[in-house]
Amino acid sequence: MSQAATPRRARHTGGLVRSVYLPRTADALAFAMSTYGIPLLVLATTRSAALTGAAFALEWIPRLAAFGWAGSVVDRHGAAVVFHRAALGRALALAAGAVLLHFHPAGAEASVTVMVLAATTGVLTEFSYIAVETAGAAAGRRAGRRAHRVQAVLLGIDQTATLAGPALAGVLLLAGPPSMLAVITVLSLIAALLALRTPPSPVAPARAAKGQSGAGLLTGWRTIRSLPALGWLVTGLTLSNLATGLLQAAGPVIVVQHFGQSTTAVGLVWSAAAAATLLSVTLARFALDRLGLWPVGATCAVLASLGCLAAARAPDYPSYLVLVAVLMAADGGLAVVLRTLRSRLIPPDKFASTLSATILILLLPFPAAGVLTALTPPDALGHVITVCAVLQALGLLCAFARLRTDPALRT
């Protein structure tokens, strides 16, 4: 390696840190804190299990509605512009919420404030997520042969934020809702300012981008239907996500009201789950090399089903934390199997549209889980989670039974 190459590489790495890694870190932490912190905030403010579930649904329904056209907006205006505007909008919304909750910490005004925050942050977070994913992909392409290093760093940032965000939100909530919202506001402002340093991504012509969303999702749906292996796996994981989403939506109610723990304990559950997921994803890569897709996927399916069934009947908080971690670790292994299968089966010219359709289908159970939590009395949540866990087990059993002899999963 020449002496000139080292300074060039150092400058390139330094540029990535300033223009990609730091903005991604601030946004990912704000993303994790708002996703898990807003339902906690609703429970702390309203003391209502129904409103906590409704807030979870209000976070996810706008995200799903925005998912189909957020990509086309990023294509039309560029990742840096959309990232900046979405992060700035989220900061303004959270700042307004913090001020309102400072002056009206309880009552109808507080309830309206936190529910509006759930819906608003859900939409803006989806736009910022699509934008930073696009910026990360563009950085990988610019890195050339070092693209895998860029993606590895970005994945590590996301997992670390998921690990730290819920616990941090729970701790800050002990100081009061305005304090938690103020910290997420600052993180969002930092992300918005750093987004100005993000290199611009290619912008599609307005005429080409217009209407692209609906056509892309339709193409993706048709592709999934034409690939039986992918269709069966997506079906099984969709039912699995209903059980997982219900545990997420009902988590604050179960931990705080049923087990008598603090809001910090709720964040600790999902931080432990994120750590277990990160470990399982790492182990799954080595297991896939030795065993293949079907054995690894089937093992993870069994662990996920048993973990969810047991979590629904957990006798105390420590066992609940461990069982949720086991469930999410198994779910992480299933995600690796799905990503590998997608890369093998989906035609390159239809990959983006099929990926969008796949993600949209897999996310649909989350708002449904919020609605279920809102409509279910707290004492009956364990029974509902058990029913969803049974559906999860049946869905994954049918999926992997069908995939047992499929050539796509033999290697």
Side-chain angles (χ1 to χ4, degrees):
M1 181 184 299
S2 67
Q3 295 181 351
T6 300
R8 281 199 301 269
R9 180 169 297 181
R11 288 194 299 270
H12 175 74
T13 302
L16 281 175
V17 170
R18 293 187 297 271
S19 62
V20 178
Y21 297 156
L22 287 179
R24 178 72 165 242
T25 300
D27 188 73
L29 193 54
F31 179 105
M33 290 182 66
S34 61
T35 297
Y36 293 96
I38 294 296
L40 283 175
L41 175 62
V42 173
L43 183 63
T45 303
T46 66
R47 301 295 177 184
S48 169
L51 288 179
T52 302
F56 189 84
L58 279 175
E59 275 191 309
W60 282 102
I61 290 174
R63 290 184 185 184
L64 296 179
F67 189 84
W69 47 282
S72 62
V73 171
V74 172
D75 285 339
R76 192 154 52 240
H77 298 287
V81 173
V82 176
F83 182 16
H84 171 73
R85 292 176 180 175
L88 183 60
R90 183 176 59 205
L92 294 174
L94 290 165
V99 172
L100 289 172
L101 288 177
H102 176 74
F103 289 105
H104 303 283
E109 297 89 347
S111 299
V112 172
T113 298
V114 294
M115 299 304 284
V116 171
L117 269 181
T120 305
T121 56
V123 171
L124 294 172
T125 296
E126 186 61 40
F127 274 89
S128 69
Y129 175 74
I130 296 296
V132 296
E133 280 289 293
T134 303
R141 287 192 295 270
R142 287 191 296 270
R145 293 182 178 180
R146 294 189 297 274
H148 63 284
R149 299 180 184 179
V150 175
Q151 296 304 322
V153 173
L154 294 176
L155 179 60
I157 289 172
D158 289 344
Q159 290 296 330
T160 302
T162 304
L163 180 65
L168 182 58
V171 170
L172 289 171
L173 193 55
L174 294 177
S179 299
M180 186 191 77
L181 293 179
V183 172
I184 306 177
T185 299
V186 171
L187 288 170
S188 297
L189 279 175
I190 292 173
L193 293 174
L194 292 174
L196 298 174
R197 304 178 65 97
T198 301
S201 60
V203 178
R207 181 174 297 180
K210 188 177 181 179
Q212 182 177 339
S213 170
L217 290 178
L218 182 59
T219 299
W221 170 245
R222 289 172 176 169
T223 304
I224 293 173
R225 292 183 60 186
S226 68
L227 300 170
L230 181 62
W232 275 106
L233 187 56
V234 168
T235 300
L237 290 178
T238 300
L239 290 173
S240 180
N241 281 353
L242 178 61
T244 303
L246 189 58
L247 280 174
Q248 289 187 20
V253 180
I254 294 172
V255 174
V256 175
Q257 295 188 356
H258 182 66
F259 292 133
Q261 302 293 319
S262 67
T263 54
T264 305
V266 182
L268 182 61
V269 169
W270 296 109
S271 293
T277 301
L278 183 59
L279 177 62
S280 73
V281 168
T282 302
L283 294 177
R285 294 172 183 171
F286 295 102
L288 287 171
D289 290 336
R290 294 178 175 272
L291 303 175
L293 284 175
W294 193 91
V296 173
T299 301
C300 290
V302 171
L303 289 175
S305 301
L306 293 177
C308 191
L309 284 167
R313 297 298 177 185
D316 50 36
Y317 172 74
S319 60
Y320 177 81
L321 183 148
V322 171
L323 290 168
V324 170
V326 170
L327 165 63
M328 297 309 296
D331 188 69
L334 287 171
V336 176
V337 172
L338 174 63
R339 289 172 180 268
T340 306
L341 191 64
R342 280 195 313 224
S343 65
R344 290 184 181 182
L345 294 182
I346 300 175
D349 59 332
K350 299 178 181 178
F351 189 88
S353 58
T354 308
L355 177 63
S356 298
T358 301
I359 294 175
L360 183 59
I361 293 170
L362 292 175
L363 290 181
L364 284 174
F366 287 95
V371 172
L372 271 177
T373 303
L375 297 178
T376 304
D379 293 340
L381 280 173
H383 301 294
V384 176
I385 294 174
T386 300
V387 172
C388 290
V390 171
L391 291 176
Q392 174 194 39
L394 291 175
L396 292 175
L397 174 64
C398 292
F400 280 95
R402 290 277 184 163
L403 296 172
R404 179 67 179 88
T405 57
D406 196 289
L409 275 82
R410 288 181 182 174
T411 58

